[in-house]
Amino acid sequence: IRQFLESSLRSRYKTSVAETATEGLTAAKQTKPRCILLDMMLPDHDGLWVLRQLRQTPDLADTKILMLTAQSDESLKLLALQSGVDDFLPKPFGISELHARVAGLTRSSSLQQELRAEKRELESALTQLKSTEAQLFQSEKMRAVGSMAAGLMHEINNPVNFTLMAIKILQRDVAKGKPIDDTVNDVFDGVTRIGDIVSDLRSFAYPDQAHHRTDFTVREVLNTSLRFAADNLKNIPVAVELPAEPELWVRASRSQIAQVLLNLLVNAAKATDPIADTRPPKITVRAYLQVDRVVVEVQDNGVGMSPETLPRITEPFFTTAEPGQGLGLGLSISDSIARAHGSGLKFTSQSQVGTTVTFDLPLSRAADKR
Protein backbone atom coordinates (compact mmCIF):
# COMPACT_ATOMS: atom_id res chain seq x y z
CA ILE A 1 0.00 0.00 0.00
CA ARG A 2 2.88 2.33 0.81
CA GLN A 3 4.42 1.83 -2.63
CA PHE A 4 1.03 2.20 -4.28
CA LEU A 5 0.37 5.51 -2.49
CA GLU A 6 3.73 6.94 -3.44
CA SER A 7 3.46 5.94 -7.11
CA SER A 8 -0.06 7.45 -7.23
CA LEU A 9 0.97 10.81 -5.75
CA ARG A 10 4.56 11.51 -6.81
CA SER A 11 3.53 12.81 -10.23
CA ARG A 12 1.70 15.69 -8.49
CA TYR A 13 3.56 16.08 -5.18
CA LYS A 14 7.00 15.74 -3.66
CA THR A 15 6.70 12.58 -1.56
CA SER A 16 8.53 10.89 1.26
CA VAL A 17 7.75 7.46 2.72
CA ALA A 18 8.43 5.75 6.03
CA GLU A 19 7.73 2.22 7.22
CA THR A 20 7.60 2.82 11.00
CA ALA A 21 6.17 5.41 13.31
CA THR A 22 9.63 6.50 14.45
CA GLU A 23 10.90 6.92 10.89
CA GLY A 24 7.75 8.79 9.94
CA LEU A 25 8.02 11.26 12.83
CA THR A 26 11.65 11.99 11.98
CA ALA A 27 10.82 12.52 8.29
CA ALA A 28 7.83 14.75 9.13
CA LYS A 29 9.92 17.02 11.41
CA GLN A 30 12.60 17.34 8.73
CA THR A 31 10.40 17.96 5.67
CA LYS A 32 7.40 19.73 7.29
CA PRO A 33 4.93 18.39 4.71
CA ARG A 34 1.61 19.92 3.70
CA CYS A 35 -0.16 16.57 4.21
CA ILE A 36 0.62 13.27 5.97
CA LEU A 37 -1.05 9.97 5.10
CA LEU A 38 -0.97 7.96 8.32
CA ASP A 39 -1.94 4.32 8.71
CA MET A 40 -3.73 3.26 11.86
CA MET A 41 -1.61 0.08 12.17
CA LEU A 42 2.19 0.44 12.20
CA PRO A 43 4.99 -1.98 13.18
CA ASP A 44 6.20 -0.10 16.30
CA HIS A 45 3.30 2.14 17.41
CA ASP A 46 -0.32 2.66 16.46
CA GLY A 47 -1.45 5.61 14.38
CA LEU A 48 -3.08 7.39 17.36
CA TRP A 49 0.28 7.60 19.14
CA VAL A 50 1.89 9.07 16.03
CA LEU A 51 -1.02 11.48 15.64
CA ARG A 52 -0.55 12.85 19.16
CA GLN A 53 3.20 13.27 18.63
CA LEU A 54 2.60 15.16 15.39
CA ARG A 55 0.05 17.49 17.01
CA GLN A 56 2.51 18.30 19.79
CA THR A 57 5.06 19.53 17.23
CA PRO A 58 4.66 23.33 16.70
CA ASP A 59 6.42 23.26 13.31
CA LEU A 60 3.68 20.94 12.00
CA ALA A 61 0.75 23.11 13.09
CA ASP A 62 -0.34 23.66 9.47
CA THR A 63 0.20 20.05 8.35
CA LYS A 64 -2.99 18.14 7.55
CA ILE A 65 -3.24 14.48 8.56
CA LEU A 66 -5.24 11.93 6.56
CA MET A 67 -5.67 8.67 8.45
CA LEU A 68 -5.95 5.38 6.56
CA THR A 69 -7.86 2.58 8.23
CA ALA A 70 -9.73 -0.59 7.41
CA GLN A 71 -11.47 -0.47 10.80
CA SER A 72 -15.02 0.75 11.13
CA ASP A 73 -14.90 1.26 14.89
CA GLU A 74 -16.62 4.61 15.53
CA SER A 75 -15.01 5.03 18.96
CA LEU A 76 -11.58 4.72 17.33
CA LYS A 77 -12.48 7.43 14.83
CA LEU A 78 -13.74 9.63 17.65
CA LEU A 79 -10.41 9.22 19.45
CA ALA A 80 -8.59 10.16 16.25
CA LEU A 81 -10.74 13.28 15.83
CA GLN A 82 -10.10 14.29 19.43
CA SER A 83 -6.37 13.81 18.83
CA GLY A 84 -6.40 16.15 15.84
CA VAL A 85 -6.87 14.10 12.65
CA ASP A 86 -8.21 16.13 9.71
CA ASP A 87 -9.79 13.39 7.55
CA PHE A 88 -10.22 9.62 7.13
CA LEU A 89 -9.71 7.45 4.05
CA PRO A 90 -11.25 3.99 4.56
CA LYS A 91 -9.62 0.97 2.93
CA PRO A 92 -10.06 -0.05 0.22
CA PHE A 93 -10.04 3.31 -1.60
CA GLY A 94 -9.92 4.50 -5.20
CA ILE A 95 -7.32 6.69 -6.88
CA SER A 96 -9.82 9.49 -7.60
CA GLU A 97 -10.94 9.65 -3.98
CA LEU A 98 -7.32 9.61 -2.80
CA HIS A 99 -6.36 12.51 -5.09
CA ALA A 100 -9.46 14.50 -4.11
CA ARG A 101 -8.81 14.10 -0.38
CA VAL A 102 -5.11 14.93 -0.64
CA ALA A 103 -5.75 17.91 -2.93
CA GLY A 104 -8.29 19.35 -0.50
CA LEU A 105 -6.03 18.90 2.51
CA THR A 106 -2.91 20.34 0.85
CA ARG A 107 -4.93 23.34 -0.34
CA SER A 108 -6.30 23.82 3.17
CA SER A 109 -2.80 23.57 4.64
CA SER A 110 -1.48 26.19 2.23
CA LEU A 111 -4.34 28.56 3.02
CA GLN A 112 -3.86 28.03 6.74
CA GLN A 113 -0.16 28.81 6.44
CA GLU A 114 -0.91 31.94 4.41
CA LEU A 115 -3.48 33.05 6.99
CA ARG A 116 -0.98 32.48 9.77
CA ALA A 117 1.61 34.58 7.92
CA GLU A 118 -0.97 37.33 7.32
CA LYS A 119 -1.92 37.23 10.99
CA ARG A 120 1.73 37.73 11.96
CA GLU A 121 1.97 40.66 9.54
CA LEU A 122 -1.24 42.18 10.91
CA GLU A 123 -0.03 41.76 14.49
CA SER A 124 3.24 43.42 13.55
CA ALA A 125 1.37 46.24 11.80
CA LEU A 126 -0.93 46.64 14.80
CA THR A 127 2.05 46.85 17.15
CA GLN A 128 3.60 49.47 14.88
CA LEU A 129 0.29 51.35 14.69
CA LYS A 130 -0.04 51.39 18.49
CA SER A 131 3.53 52.64 18.76
CA THR A 132 2.82 55.37 16.19
CA GLU A 133 -0.39 56.30 17.99
CA ALA A 134 1.48 56.61 21.29
CA GLN A 135 4.10 58.78 19.59
CA LEU A 136 1.36 61.00 18.12
CA PHE A 137 -0.29 61.33 21.52
CA GLN A 138 3.01 62.30 23.11
CA SER A 139 3.93 64.63 20.24
CA GLU A 140 0.61 66.46 20.50
CA LYS A 141 0.99 66.65 24.27
CA MET A 142 4.49 68.13 24.03
CA ARG A 143 3.29 70.55 21.33
CA ALA A 144 0.65 71.72 23.79
CA VAL A 145 3.28 72.10 26.52
CA GLY A 146 5.41 74.13 24.10
CA SER A 147 2.56 76.42 23.17
CA MET A 148 1.72 76.91 26.85
CA ALA A 149 5.31 77.59 27.89
CA ALA A 150 4.77 81.32 28.42
CA GLY A 151 1.63 80.76 30.44
CA LEU A 152 3.30 78.08 32.55
CA MET A 153 6.25 80.35 33.25
CA HIS A 154 3.79 82.99 34.42
CA GLU A 155 2.01 80.43 36.61
CA ILE A 156 5.29 79.43 38.22
CA ASN A 157 6.70 82.96 38.38
CA ASN A 158 3.79 84.26 40.46
CA PRO A 159 4.27 81.91 43.44
CA VAL A 160 8.07 82.25 43.12
CA ASN A 161 7.85 86.04 43.47
CA PHE A 162 5.27 85.66 46.23
CA THR A 163 7.55 83.24 48.11
CA LEU A 164 10.63 85.43 47.67
CA MET A 165 8.72 88.40 49.05
CA ALA A 166 7.55 86.31 52.01
CA ILE A 167 11.12 85.17 52.70
CA LYS A 168 12.33 88.81 52.73
CA ILE A 169 9.57 89.70 55.19
CA LEU A 170 10.49 86.65 57.24
CA GLN A 171 14.13 87.77 57.41
CA ARG A 172 13.08 91.24 58.53
CA ASP A 173 10.65 89.94 61.15
CA VAL A 174 13.23 87.52 62.55
CA ALA A 175 15.75 90.35 62.84
CA LYS A 176 13.20 92.50 64.68
CA GLY A 177 11.92 89.65 66.83
CA LYS A 178 8.38 89.86 65.46
CA PRO A 179 6.00 86.83 65.24
CA ILE A 180 6.70 84.86 62.08
CA ASP A 181 3.96 82.19 62.02
CA ASP A 182 1.85 83.91 59.35
CA THR A 183 4.86 84.58 57.14
CA VAL A 184 6.09 80.98 57.43
CA ASN A 185 2.63 79.82 56.36
CA ASP A 186 2.83 82.18 53.36
CA VAL A 187 6.19 80.68 52.37
CA PHE A 188 4.79 77.19 52.77
CA ASP A 189 1.76 78.04 50.59
CA GLY A 190 3.96 79.51 47.86
CA VAL A 191 6.32 76.53 47.75
CA THR A 192 3.38 74.12 47.81
CA ARG A 193 1.82 75.87 44.84
CA ILE A 194 5.09 75.65 42.88
CA GLY A 195 5.33 71.96 43.77
CA ASP A 196 1.76 71.34 42.59
CA ILE A 197 2.45 73.01 39.24
CA VAL A 198 5.65 71.02 38.68
CA SER A 199 3.97 67.78 39.77
CA ASP A 200 1.03 68.37 37.42
CA LEU A 201 3.37 69.17 34.54
CA ARG A 202 5.47 66.06 35.16
CA SER A 203 2.46 63.72 35.31
CA PHE A 204 0.99 65.38 32.21
CA ALA A 205 4.13 65.33 30.08
CA TYR A 206 5.65 61.96 30.94
CA PRO A 207 4.63 59.25 28.41
CA ASP A 208 4.63 56.45 31.02
CA GLN A 209 1.64 58.12 32.70
CA ALA A 210 -0.55 57.93 29.60
CA HIS A 211 -2.12 54.50 30.22
CA HIS A 212 -1.90 54.48 34.02
CA ARG A 213 -5.47 54.61 35.36
CA THR A 214 -6.12 55.92 38.84
CA ASP A 215 -8.98 57.33 40.92
CA PHE A 216 -9.27 61.12 40.99
CA THR A 217 -11.94 63.82 41.04
CA VAL A 218 -13.08 65.82 38.05
CA ARG A 219 -12.31 68.97 40.03
CA GLU A 220 -8.66 67.94 40.46
CA VAL A 221 -8.01 67.24 36.79
CA LEU A 222 -9.97 70.33 35.71
CA ASN A 223 -7.86 72.54 37.99
CA THR A 224 -4.73 71.09 36.35
CA SER A 225 -6.05 71.80 32.86
CA LEU A 226 -7.19 75.32 33.80
CA ARG A 227 -3.74 76.01 35.22
CA PHE A 228 -2.07 74.86 31.99
CA ALA A 229 -4.49 76.83 29.82
CA ALA A 230 -4.27 80.00 31.94
CA ASP A 231 -2.42 81.99 29.29
CA ASN A 232 -5.08 81.19 26.66
CA LEU A 233 -7.90 81.95 29.10
CA LYS A 234 -6.54 85.13 30.69
CA ASN A 235 -9.26 87.38 29.24
CA ILE A 236 -12.08 84.82 29.24
CA PRO A 237 -14.19 84.01 32.32
CA VAL A 238 -14.56 80.26 32.90
CA ALA A 239 -17.62 79.18 34.87
CA VAL A 240 -17.13 75.84 36.65
CA GLU A 241 -20.35 74.00 37.51
CA LEU A 242 -19.50 70.96 39.62
CA PRO A 243 -21.53 69.52 42.48
CA ALA A 244 -20.01 70.46 45.82
CA GLU A 245 -21.11 67.22 47.45
CA PRO A 246 -20.43 64.52 46.69
CA GLU A 247 -17.28 65.05 44.61
CA LEU A 248 -17.35 63.32 41.24
CA TRP A 249 -14.71 60.57 41.33
CA VAL A 250 -13.68 58.87 38.10
CA ARG A 251 -11.25 56.06 37.24
CA ALA A 252 -9.22 57.00 34.19
CA SER A 253 -5.83 58.12 32.94
CA ARG A 254 -5.39 61.45 34.68
CA SER A 255 -2.73 62.52 32.19
CA GLN A 256 -4.94 61.77 29.19
CA ILE A 257 -8.09 63.37 30.63
CA ALA A 258 -6.07 66.49 31.44
CA GLN A 259 -4.95 66.45 27.80
CA VAL A 260 -8.58 66.24 26.59
CA LEU A 261 -9.78 69.05 28.85
CA LEU A 262 -6.80 71.22 27.99
CA ASN A 263 -7.44 70.76 24.28
CA LEU A 264 -11.15 71.56 24.65
CA LEU A 265 -10.44 74.65 26.77
CA VAL A 266 -7.84 76.00 24.33
CA ASN A 267 -10.17 75.35 21.37
CA ALA A 268 -13.03 77.06 23.20
CA ALA A 269 -10.78 80.05 23.89
CA LYS A 270 -9.83 80.29 20.21
CA ALA A 271 -13.51 80.05 19.22
CA THR A 272 -14.39 83.05 21.39
CA ASP A 273 -11.61 85.33 20.08
CA PRO A 274 -13.53 86.54 16.99
CA ILE A 275 -16.69 87.44 18.96
CA ALA A 276 -14.97 89.60 21.61
CA ASP A 277 -16.10 92.81 19.90
CA THR A 278 -19.77 91.77 19.70
CA ARG A 279 -20.44 90.01 23.03
CA PRO A 280 -18.52 89.06 26.17
CA PRO A 281 -16.78 85.68 25.70
CA LYS A 282 -17.61 82.93 28.15
CA ILE A 283 -16.65 79.30 28.70
CA THR A 284 -18.57 76.94 30.97
CA VAL A 285 -17.31 73.60 32.24
CA ARG A 286 -19.83 71.38 33.96
CA ALA A 287 -19.94 67.77 35.12
CA TYR A 288 -22.71 65.60 36.49
CA LEU A 289 -23.48 62.00 37.33
CA GLN A 290 -25.47 59.88 34.89
CA VAL A 291 -26.06 56.33 36.17
CA ASP A 292 -22.51 54.90 36.49
CA ARG A 293 -20.79 57.48 34.26
CA VAL A 294 -19.64 61.03 34.89
CA VAL A 295 -20.57 63.39 32.04
CA VAL A 296 -18.23 66.31 31.34
CA GLU A 297 -19.22 69.28 29.15
CA VAL A 298 -17.16 72.19 27.83
CA GLN A 299 -19.34 74.95 26.38
CA ASP A 300 -18.40 78.23 24.71
CA ASN A 301 -20.34 81.09 23.15
CA GLY A 302 -17.90 81.47 20.27
CA VAL A 303 -18.20 81.36 16.50
CA GLY A 304 -19.55 77.80 16.39
CA MET A 305 -19.23 75.41 13.45
CA SER A 306 -21.05 75.01 10.19
CA PRO A 307 -23.06 71.83 9.44
CA GLU A 308 -20.37 70.93 6.88
CA THR A 309 -17.52 71.17 9.39
CA LEU A 310 -19.19 69.37 12.30
CA PRO A 311 -19.04 65.77 10.91
CA ARG A 312 -15.33 66.10 10.12
CA ILE A 313 -14.13 67.80 13.28
CA THR A 314 -12.44 64.68 14.77
CA GLU A 315 -10.83 63.53 11.51
CA PRO A 316 -7.03 63.34 11.82
CA PHE A 317 -5.27 66.35 10.25
CA PHE A 318 -8.57 68.16 9.61
CA THR A 319 -8.34 71.75 10.83
CA THR A 320 -10.11 75.05 10.28
CA ALA A 321 -7.10 76.97 11.59
CA GLU A 322 -4.75 78.96 9.41
CA PRO A 323 -1.76 77.07 7.91
CA GLY A 324 0.99 76.63 10.47
CA GLN A 325 -1.41 77.03 13.40
CA GLY A 326 -1.70 73.30 14.17
CA LEU A 327 -1.69 69.80 12.71
CA GLY A 328 -5.38 69.12 13.22
CA LEU A 329 -4.63 66.25 15.62
CA GLY A 330 -5.88 67.71 18.91
CA LEU A 331 -9.56 66.77 18.64
CA SER A 332 -8.77 63.49 16.86
CA ILE A 333 -6.48 62.42 19.70
CA SER A 334 -8.94 63.68 22.32
CA ASP A 335 -11.70 61.64 20.68
CA SER A 336 -9.46 58.55 20.70
CA ILE A 337 -8.73 59.06 24.40
CA ALA A 338 -12.43 59.45 25.19
CA ARG A 339 -13.24 56.30 23.20
CA ALA A 340 -10.56 54.37 25.09
CA HIS A 341 -12.48 55.34 28.24
CA GLY A 342 -15.77 54.04 26.83
CA SER A 343 -17.13 57.25 25.36
CA GLY A 344 -16.07 59.58 22.56
CA LEU A 345 -16.46 63.30 21.92
CA LYS A 346 -19.98 64.48 21.07
CA PHE A 347 -20.45 67.92 19.52
CA THR A 348 -23.43 70.23 19.28
CA SER A 349 -22.75 73.54 17.56
CA GLN A 350 -24.49 76.43 15.91
CA SER A 351 -22.72 79.00 13.78
CA GLN A 352 -22.22 82.33 15.59
CA VAL A 353 -23.91 80.92 18.73
CA GLY A 354 -21.39 78.51 20.24
CA THR A 355 -20.29 74.90 20.71
CA THR A 356 -20.73 72.28 23.39
CA VAL A 357 -18.43 69.25 23.58
CA THR A 358 -19.43 66.32 25.79
CA PHE A 359 -17.73 63.11 26.86
CA ASP A 360 -18.18 60.77 29.80
CA LEU A 361 -15.94 58.74 32.08
CA PRO A 362 -16.40 55.64 34.25
CA LEU A 363 -17.43 56.41 37.81
CA SER A 364 -14.80 55.33 40.34
CA ARG A 365 -15.80 52.85 43.00
CA ALA A 366 -13.55 54.89 45.29
CA ALA A 367 -16.43 57.34 45.54
CA ASP A 368 -18.36 54.80 47.64
CA LYS A 369 -15.58 54.73 50.23
CA ARG A 370 -15.43 58.46 50.79
Side-chain angles (χ1 to χ4, degrees):
I1 291 177
R2 189 169 62 251
Q3 293 172 352
F4 167 73
L5 288 170
E6 185 186 21
S7 63
S8 301
L9 295 170
R10 65 186 172 194
S11 62
R12 302 187 184 186
Y13 307 96
K14 291 174 63 177
T15 59
S16 176
V17 295
E19 182 177 354
T20 67
T22 304
E23 292 173 359
L25 279 172
T26 301
K29 291 175 182 178
Q30 289 175 347
T31 61
K32 300 179 181 60
R34 287 273 190 263
C35 180
I36 293 175
L37 278 65
L38 175 63
D39 206 336
M40 184 68 80
M41 304 300 293
L42 296 165
D44 49 352
H45 294 283
D46 65 26
L48 289 176
W49 181 87
V50 180
L51 179 58
R52 295 188 188 102
Q53 300 303 310
L54 290 169
R55 286 307 180 218
Q56 291 172 10
T57 306
D59 287 348
L60 300 176
D62 297 322
T63 298
K64 300 301 178 182
I65 301 174
L66 176 62
M67 184 159 274
L68 312 176
T69 178
Q71 301 183 28
S72 58
D73 187 345
E74 294 299 325
S75 62
L76 195 62
K77 290 185 177 181
L78 182 59
L79 279 173
L81 287 168
Q82 291 171 343
S83 300
V85 77
D86 295 290
D87 201 359
F88 293 96
L89 187 61
K91 301 175 184 176
F93 49 80
I95 295 294
S96 298
E97 183 179 11
L98 170 68
H99 284 175
R101 298 285 182 94
V102 172
L105 290 173
T106 53
R107 190 162 52 246
S108 175
S109 174
S110 297
L111 289 172
Q112 189 169 313
Q113 192 173 55
E114 290 171 9
L115 285 173
R116 199 181 297 277
E118 288 180 7
K119 181 184 176 185
R120 286 194 294 268
E121 290 178 6
L122 286 172
E123 287 173 346
S124 175
L126 182 60
T127 301
Q128 182 63 41
L129 185 63
K130 287 181 177 178
S131 175
T132 303
E133 181 185 52
Q135 290 172 9
L136 280 174
F137 276 35
Q138 186 64 14
S139 174
E140 179 65 18
K141 191 183 293 183
M142 296 313 295
R143 189 193 69 78
V145 170
S147 67
M148 294 182 305
L152 286 172
M153 290 299 295
H154 179 74
E155 281 294 300
I156 294 174
N157 200 42
N158 278 345
V160 166
N161 289 334
F162 170 81
T163 304
L164 287 173
M165 181 64 69
I167 290 173
K168 289 179 181 179
I169 295 172
L170 182 63
Q171 290 173 328
R172 184 194 65 192
D173 290 346
V174 168
K176 293 182 177 181
K178 293 182 178 180
I180 60 173
D181 289 351
D182 290 342
T183 311
V184 169
N185 289 335
D186 289 342
V187 173
F188 180 80
D189 289 343
V191 173
T192 299
R193 187 176 174 191
I194 295 169
D196 288 343
I197 294 170
V198 173
S199 177
D200 285 345
L201 184 59
R202 182 174 61 246
S203 64
F204 176 73
Y206 276 31
D208 59 352
Q209 297 294 318
H211 301 290
H212 182 56
R213 299 199 177 192
T214 57
D215 298 318
F216 55 89
T217 68
V218 173
R219 192 181 303 276
E220 291 169 350
V221 72
L222 177 59
N223 286 340
T224 298
S225 300
L226 286 170
R227 187 179 294 128
F228 289 163
D231 193 53
N232 298 87
L233 301 171
K234 57 188 174 184
N235 297 318
I236 306 169
V238 178
V240 176
E241 299 178 5
L242 301 178
E245 290 292 338
E247 287 281 6
L248 296 174
W249 285 83
V250 296
R251 184 164 185 80
S253 165
R254 181 167 179 163
S255 167
Q256 289 188 338
I257 300 309
Q259 185 175 355
V260 172
L261 284 169
L262 173 61
N263 192 274
L264 296 182
L265 287 168
V266 170
N267 278 8
K270 290 177 180 177
T272 60
D273 277 347
I275 60 98
D277 295 333
T278 59
R279 60 182 183 274
K282 182 181 179 183
I283 296 173
T284 302
V285 182
R286 62 177 62 90
Y288 53 89
L289 185 62
Q290 192 172 76
V291 191
D292 61 346
R293 307 281 294 183
V294 174
V295 180
V296 182
E297 292 182 358
V298 178
Q299 183 181 50
D300 67 70
N301 66 340
V303 294
M305 289 180 281
S306 67
E308 293 77 25
T309 299
L310 200 56
R312 302 189 59 196
I313 197 63
T314 58
E315 289 182 11
F317 305 108
F318 176 80
T319 178
T320 57
E322 295 295 323
Q325 297 299 308
L327 297 175
L329 284 173
L331 287 176
S332 175
I333 288 175
S334 297
D335 185 55
S336 296
I337 291 172
R339 289 183 185 280
H341 287 79
S343 175
L345 299 184
K346 302 175 181 64
F347 295 82
T348 56
S349 186
Q350 188 174 346
S351 183
Q352 300 306 316
V353 174
T355 299
T356 300
V357 187
T358 307
F359 64 97
D360 55 82
L361 299 168
L363 179 68
S364 168
R365 293 298 100 193
D368 299 334
K369 303 174 185 177
R370 290 172 168 81

